[in-house]
């Protein structure tokens, strides 16, 4: 993908010895040296990837889910990019990872129980817009209860989600969120939220690369108020 302001610099120091840099305006994001390779036939590619940890989406506005509701919502979630040298799609060399999201809106911590995660101040929208620093978590919400609930936080095993591109907007795979008797269950579907979207990252393959298992369902408690 093409990211405004991010550029690639390749310097041939001698035969088979290169300095590879990724820059954003005047800032050097990545700088590496490679010996024994000929990079003249390689091109620079940016590939969207999830963050390297699960994400706790914090809805400071407290999203209200009406009784007996059935609706689709989208929640902004941060996205990163792998900087890659590619030779016609056959051979790829990973240079490093680029972070574009606003660090003031995201911090590193530990939930009350469980592993470390990123906390991200998110929101809820029904009309996503194209941005390069965020994807949109696509969620089909079904409230089977006869009373409304307030959603304050949502924990997402982000590395396991497939990513899709549609009209310059990046979406995650569709997640089904079902509420029944005050309990909430997430169902990871592996499906695109739109039939005409292009898959750009397969969740199960990304999970396998990281040595984690793909989740099908997950029951979450204590997140509804």
């Amino acid at each position: 993908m093409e990211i405004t302001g991010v550029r690639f610099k390749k310097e041939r120091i001698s035969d088979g010895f290169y300095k590879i840099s990724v820059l954003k305006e005047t800032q050097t994001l990545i700088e590496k040296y490679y010996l024994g390779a000929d990079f003249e036939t390689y091109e620079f590619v940016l590939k969207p990837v999830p963050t390297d940890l699960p994400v706790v989406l914090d809805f400071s506005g407290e999203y209200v889910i009406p009784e007996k509701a059935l609706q689709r919502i989208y929640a902004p979630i941060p996205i990163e990019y792998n900087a890659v040298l590619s030779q016609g799609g056959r051979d790829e060399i990973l240079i490093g990872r680029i972070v574009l999201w606003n660090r003031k809106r995201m911090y590193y911590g530990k939930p009350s129980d469980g592993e470390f995660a990123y906390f991200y101040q998110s929101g809820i929208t029904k009309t996503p817009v194209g941005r390069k620093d965020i994807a949109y978590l696509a969620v089909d919400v079904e409230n089977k209860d006869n009373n409304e609930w307030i959603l304050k936080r949502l924990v997402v095993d982000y590395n396991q989600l497939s990513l899709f591109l549609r009209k310059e907007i990046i979406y995650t795979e569709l997640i089904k969120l079902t509420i029944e008797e005050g309990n909430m269950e997430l169902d990871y579907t592996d499906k695109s939220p739109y039939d005409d979207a292009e898959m750009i990252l397969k969740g199960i393959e990304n999970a396998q690369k990281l040595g984690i298992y793909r989740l099908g369902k997950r029951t979450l408690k204590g997140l509804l108020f």
Side-chain angles (χ1 to χ4, degrees):
M1 295 187 68
E2 189 173 329
I3 309 297
T4 303
V6 175
R7 58 191 178 90
F8 164 75
K9 186 177 180 181
K10 175 174 57 180
E11 295 181 63
R12 184 176 178 179
I13 298 173
S14 61
D15 289 344
F17 186 36
Y18 285 83
K19 176 183 176 182
I20 306 296
S21 305
V22 182
L23 307 104
K24 186 169 188 264
E25 298 171 350
T26 59
Q27 180 186 5
T28 300
L29 302 178
I30 304 172
E31 185 176 277
K32 288 187 175 180
Y33 291 86
Y34 292 89
L35 180 63
D38 184 358
F39 288 139
E40 294 305 316
T41 59
Y42 284 74
E43 63 175 347
F44 177 56
V45 180
L46 289 175
K47 294 191 171 184
V49 289
T51 61
D52 57 347
L53 289 173
V55 176
V56 180
L57 296 176
D58 189 350
F59 307 119
S60 55
E62 300 183 355
Y63 180 69
V64 176
I65 303 173
E67 61 183 72
K68 296 295 183 180
L70 182 60
Q71 55 191 231
R72 177 170 294 184
I73 59 175
Y74 299 95
I77 191 167
I79 198 163
E80 300 177 0
Y81 290 85
N82 278 339
V84 174
L85 280 168
S86 176
Q87 190 181 50
R90 298 183 302 274
D91 181 29
E92 290 189 348
I93 299 173
L94 176 63
I95 305 171
R97 182 172 288 225
I98 296 174
V99 176
L100 299 176
W101 36 261
N102 185 349
R103 294 179 184 273
K104 293 180 180 179
R105 291 178 55 84
M106 188 163 174
Y107 61 94
Y108 175 69
K110 190 171 184 178
S112 55
D113 293 305
E115 301 297 324
F116 280 94
Y118 289 120
F119 285 70
Y120 185 73
Q121 298 173 18
S122 187
I124 297 292
T125 182
K126 294 184 180 180
T127 55
V129 296
R131 284 180 53 179
K132 301 300 185 183
D133 59 335
I134 57 174
Y136 285 89
L137 180 72
V139 187
D140 274 354
V141 181
E142 182 178 9
N143 181 7
K144 295 184 176 181
D145 290 352
N146 288 318
N147 53 288
E148 69 177 28
W149 292 99
I150 296 176
L151 180 62
K152 288 191 174 182
R153 284 183 174 178
L154 185 62
V155 182
V156 180
D157 294 289
Y158 195 7
N159 279 313
Q160 307 194 43
L161 300 184
S162 297
L163 298 178
F164 298 85
L165 181 65
R166 179 180 184 265
K167 297 181 179 179
E168 298 301 315
I169 299 175
I170 299 173
Y171 296 91
T172 71
E173 69 181 65
L174 186 62
I175 291 180
K176 292 184 178 178
L177 188 158
T178 305
I179 303 166
E180 190 168 13
E181 297 180 355
N183 290 325
M184 180 170 66
E185 184 175 85
L186 288 182
D187 183 5
Y188 297 79
T189 69
D190 220 6
K191 297 179 181 178
S192 168
Y194 294 96
D195 292 337
D196 60 346
E198 172 194 357
M199 178 182 281
I200 53 178
L201 179 71
K202 194 168 185 177
I204 189 169
E205 293 179 357
N206 194 53
Q208 288 170 347
K209 286 179 183 178
L210 298 169
I212 58 180
Y213 291 98
R214 170 82 173 178
L215 289 181
K217 291 181 181 289
R218 152 169 209 178
T219 301
L220 303 173
K221 297 181 179 180
L223 300 180
L224 293 169
F225 300 87

